[in-house]
Amino acid sequence: MNFGEHVFQYCERGTDTALWAEPLNAISNAGFFLAALIFWQCLLWRPQEQRNADHYLLIVLVLLIGLGSLAFHLFATAGTGLADVIPIAVFMLVYLGLALNRFLGVPPGWTVFLVLGFAGLMAAAAQVHCWDGGMGLAGTVAGSKTCLNGSMYYLPALAAMIVIGMLAAERHHKAAPYVLAAAVVFIVSVLLRSLDFAFCDDVVIDGRKVGTHFIWHLLNAVVIFLLLRATLETGVKEVPATESEPAPVPPPVEAVPATDALKESPEVVSAGEAAEPESEPEPEPEAEPEPEPEPEEPEPEEPLSEAPEPEAPEGDGVEEPEDEAPPKT
């Protein structure tokens, strides 16, 4: 590899070899420095026991990402291209190991194994090239280029963010919202990086074709800050206990006339116990003794009197015939 060979990979540079051929792509790297400084201030606001060496290592890596990318967009050589991609790769591997171990509780041995597998996956993705009507490994067809303008290299990182964010959310980890938000922003960022040449003629500023690569820098600064902010969250959210469902109300029971041996049916008893599982039966009030009835005085007996003879009813105007005397013989 000739480290001094010029690389023309983005719309804004075109085929210009000048130092300031990519002003927007160079200036937009300020977003990485800003993300590192803001996170550093957030870290200083935390108590000393919540800070560790991993936080400072991530800050240094982000600063190196900004410096490497700035050098590449100023000089645009193969050597500065390595200075651009190597800090990004190291940051992804370090952050993946931290996220697996701290957010998901993966043991250290399995964490190392998964990080090595992820590194191999990134290397394989970088070897995928595309040409008109086909896709395959590098060197298969002469003149082939990396797919999606080199964005295939970042697809494993996108997949890792989505998977880790969803698993952390399932465990109610406090870092999950930041990781998932970073994944959403990264989807847009990768898309704009891939479409840099496709929109080269459409995005023009002061008569210069600038493309969309500078937006990739700005959005990636947001992604990195969200990922850094997630490392400040430890533990899981307190999930409020679900309220128990109210006991079913027993159906109304029709009134039954009182009898000497009145008993409740088993259905009523079970419904009452289900409605009040914790209530203790109240003691029944003692019945007050009923006052003894006073003896009644006997009433004086009235003397019996002979019933009066019924009077003959007065005539109603009809005279009864008198008995005729028997005939004389």
Side-chain angles (χ1 to χ4, degrees), residues 9-43:
Q9 194 173 354
Y10 302 108
C11 167
E12 189 177 19
R13 177 168 291 275
T15 57
D16 192 351
T17 59
L19 182 69
W20 199 241
E22 301 179 63
L24 280 182
N25 289 348
I27 294 173
S28 56
N29 288 292
F32 300 114
F33 300 110
L34 186 61
L37 292 176
I38 294 176
F39 175 71
W40 184 34
Q41 183 60 57
C42 293
L43 188 62

Side-chain angles (χ1 to χ4, degrees), residues 148 214 223 228 300 315:
L148 302 177
F214 73 96
V223 170
L228 294 176

Side-chain angles (χ1 to χ4, degrees), residues 160-177:
M161 278 192 284
I162 294 174
V163 173
I164 292 175
M166 294 178 66
L167 291 176
E170 184 182 6
R171 290 161 172 77
H172 304 287
H173 198 284
K174 295 179 182 178

Side-chain angles (χ1 to χ4, degrees), residues 138-157:
T140 304
V141 176
S144 62
K145 297 181 180 180
T146 55
C147 296
L148 302 177
N149 196 28
S151 298
M152 285 285 293
Y153 178 74
Y154 300 99
L155 294 185

Side-chain angles (χ1 to χ4, degrees), residues 79-303:
T80 55
L82 292 178
D84 180 29
V85 298
I86 289 177
I88 296 175
V90 175
F91 177 86
M92 289 191 292
L93 295 176
V94 171
Y95 194 90
L96 176 62
L98 184 147
L100 290 173
N101 185 257
R102 293 193 181 178
F103 300 163
L104 304 182
V106 178
W110 279 103
T111 298
V112 173
F113 176 77
L114 291 174
V115 169
L116 292 177
F118 180 78
L121 190 60
M122 286 196 307
Q127 298 302 316
V128 178
H129 282 218
C130 294
W131 57 88
D132 292 339
M135 180 174 60
L137 296 177
T140 304
V141 176
S144 62
K145 297 181 180 180
T146 55
C147 296
L148 302 177
N149 196 28
S151 298
M152 285 285 293
Y153 178 74
Y154 300 99
L155 294 185
L158 175 60
M161 278 192 284
I162 294 174
V163 173
I164 292 175
M166 294 178 66
L167 291 176
E170 184 182 6
R171 290 161 172 77
H172 304 287
H173 198 284
K174 295 179 182 178
Y178 296 100
V179 178
L180 291 175
V184 173
V185 179
F186 197 57
I187 292 174
V188 182
S189 180
V190 170
L191 180 63
L192 292 175
R193 186 187 189 283
S194 305
L195 297 176
D196 181 50
F197 279 110
F199 289 98
C200 188
D201 296 332
D202 299 326
V203 183
V204 180
I205 298 178
D206 291 337
R208 289 175 51 88
K209 298 177 182 180
V210 296
T212 58
H213 189 78
F214 73 96
I215 307 177
W216 151 267
H217 288 166
L218 297 176
L219 292 181
N220 272 3
V222 176
V223 170
I224 288 177
F225 174 75
L226 290 172
L227 294 177
L228 294 176
R229 179 63 181 81
T231 62
L232 297 178
E233 300 295 337
T234 57
V236 298
K237 296 180 181 179
E238 295 182 0
V239 181
T242 56
E243 299 180 357
S244 58
E245 298 182 357
V249 180
V253 182
E254 297 181 358
V256 181
T259 60
D260 294 339
L262 180 61
K263 296 182 180 180
E264 293 182 345
S265 63
E267 291 81 1
V268 177
V269 174
S270 62
E273 292 177 354
E276 298 179 359
E278 297 180 358
S279 61
E280 298 180 357
E282 298 181 358
E284 298 182 357
E286 297 181 358
E288 297 181 359
E290 297 181 358
E292 297 181 359
E294 297 180 359
E296 298 181 358
E297 297 181 0
E299 296 181 1
E301 297 181 359
E302 295 182 1

